[in-house]
Structures are given as C-alpha cells and as structure tokens.
Amino acid sequence: MTDGGSAGAEVLYIIRAMPLMSGQEELHERSAVAALLCFGVGSNKHRLRYFCKNPDKVTVSDFVYSGLAKAGNTTNIIQAAVTPAFVAQCPGVNGLGLSLARLDLAPGGVIPFHTHPGASEVLIVLRGYITAGFVSSANTVYVKTLKKGDVMVFPQGLLHFQVNAAKIHAKAIVSFSSASPGLQILDFALFANDLPTSLVGKTTFLDLAQIMKLKGVLGGTG
C-alpha cells in the first residue's frame, strides 16, 4: 500500500506532466495535418507527384469523401466495380499510409487475379458471400468463402482475387496500407496490350488460339 507522501508525489508528477503531454499531442496533430495537406511533402513529392495546397484554401472537404455511398457500375465484362477513395479522391489520406475503396460484385462478378505493388489490403464483407484468396511467394494458396462481417487480409504485392459466391449482389469495403496502393490485373497485363501472342504463348504455355481469343475479348493486339 502506498503511503500518503508517495501518493501525493505521484499525483503532483502527473499534474506537472499533463501540460507537456498536451503540447506534444498538439504538435503531433499540427504536423499530421500539415503532412496531409502538403500533398507529396518530402520524399512523397517525387513518389506520388502531388503538390502542397495553400493552407488558406484547405477546407473540411479535403478530409471528407462521399463517393463510397453509391454502388459502382457492374455492367461490364467482370460484372464488378471498385470505387476508390485514394489520395486523388480524398486528399486527407495523404501522409497517413492508408486509403479505402468500395467493392461491388453482381451475381457472377469477379475481381480477377491482381496485385497492389504499394500496399497490403484488408477486405470487410458488408453484404453477400465472397470467395477470396491469394497465392504466397511459395505458391501456397489461401482461399476462403467469406460472409457478412468477415475480414480477410491480403499481404502486399501478392496475387489475389475476389469472386461473388452467391446469386445476390455482394458488397465489401477494402482498406489499403497506402494512400496510393497501385494496381496491376494479371489478365490485362497478359491480354490487353500489344505483347506478341507468340511471346505470351511461350511464357504462359497457353494455346495460341486461346490467347488470341482473350486478346480479342480484352482489347489486346499483337
């Protein structure tokens, strides 16, 4: 049990420390806001190519984005839509190392194998059922059918996918560990450009006729 003198000393120490803690937190808050609004300050300036915004022109709108409230258009070849809330849409995420997006999957919808070179991803299912998975660098496959409330993590740079696993619309929110996570879709990298069909065949062991068919679907040439 602590005696009265020791207890009094502890309380006095806490009271004396409080202003210092408050000042540190205030300084940290000012620094964080400055980093957010100076789009690309320091090394990020060259990496993200964003410019500082005049502090006098900063408004609350820089920290608020309503674009995720509306479902994306899933009338496309993959029957899916990703609505981003990256630094380009929501400047306030700049400097925080995070961003968000909304995922909509119509029945039969799929987000094909893809990778985010600049970020890890967390997926939170809000509606329906989504079969999701990724492949490790050791070619180990991790797949799970997720339901409402389930969360799945996709490590940075690894190939992963999401597929609607039911006959109803599926919805999810995804979070990234970067304000600009980047994206490369494997199918588009192979079949939606002018990489010669013969080279695609040699590097994938696919039949040339099938490659030409996929190029025709995805708009590739060569």
Side-chain angles (χ1 to χ4, degrees):
M1 183 173 180
T2 306
D3 58 51
S6 298
E10 290 177 2
V11 172
L12 182 60
Y13 172 78
I14 292 174
I15 292 175
R16 287 177 174 173
M18 285 177 65
L20 177 59
M21 293 170 61
S22 176
Q24 288 175 334
E25 291 171 356
E26 183 180 355
L27 177 61
H28 175 73
E29 182 178 347
R30 289 201 304 267
S31 299
V33 171
L36 292 174
L37 301 178
C38 191
F39 308 141
V41 66
S43 61
N44 287 336
K45 182 174 183 179
H46 305 288
R47 181 168 59 86
L48 297 177
R49 293 182 173 84
Y50 284 89
F51 297 96
C52 299
K53 185 171 184 177
N54 187 332
D56 295 333
K57 296 184 178 180
V58 172
T59 70
V60 68
S61 297
D62 291 305
F63 301 94
V64 177
Y65 181 64
S66 302
L68 302 189
K70 183 180 179 181
N73 183 4
T74 59
T75 56
N76 51 59
I77 188 172
I78 62 175
Q79 299 180 67
V82 177
T83 305
F86 299 165
V87 67
Q89 294 79 28
C90 183
V93 302
N94 192 59
L96 292 182
L98 59 86
S99 57
L100 298 168
R102 170 176 172 154
L103 172 61
D104 289 284
L105 292 164
V110 56
I111 302 296
F113 265 117
H114 64 284
T115 180
H116 304 289
S120 296
E121 175 182 340
V122 177
L123 180 142
I124 308 168
V125 179
L126 302 181
R127 183 177 188 270
Y129 297 85
I130 297 176
T131 297
F134 66 90
V135 181
S136 75
S137 57
N139 289 324
T140 302
V141 179
Y142 300 88
V143 180
K144 180 79 172 181
T145 296
L146 310 171
K147 62 183 184 303
K148 180 180 178 180
D150 285 346
V151 173
M152 187 167 184
V153 177
F154 306 91
Q156 179 175 341
L158 296 184
L159 285 168
H160 57 286
F161 65 89
Q162 292 95 19
V163 178
N164 191 335
K167 296 181 180 180
I168 62 173
H169 182 97
K171 178 173 66 174
I173 291 292
V174 292
S175 175
F176 300 97
S177 61
S178 169
S180 184
L183 171 67
Q184 185 173 39
I185 300 175
L186 181 59
D187 291 348
F188 286 79
L190 290 172
F191 309 116
N193 52 42
D194 60 356
L195 186 63
T197 298
S198 59
L199 287 179
V200 177
K202 288 180 180 179
T203 56
T204 63
F205 307 106
L206 292 173
D207 180 81
L208 296 185
Q210 182 64 31
I211 295 172
M212 293 175 67
K213 178 180 178 181
L214 291 169
K215 280 179 172 283
V217 171
L218 296 178
T221 60

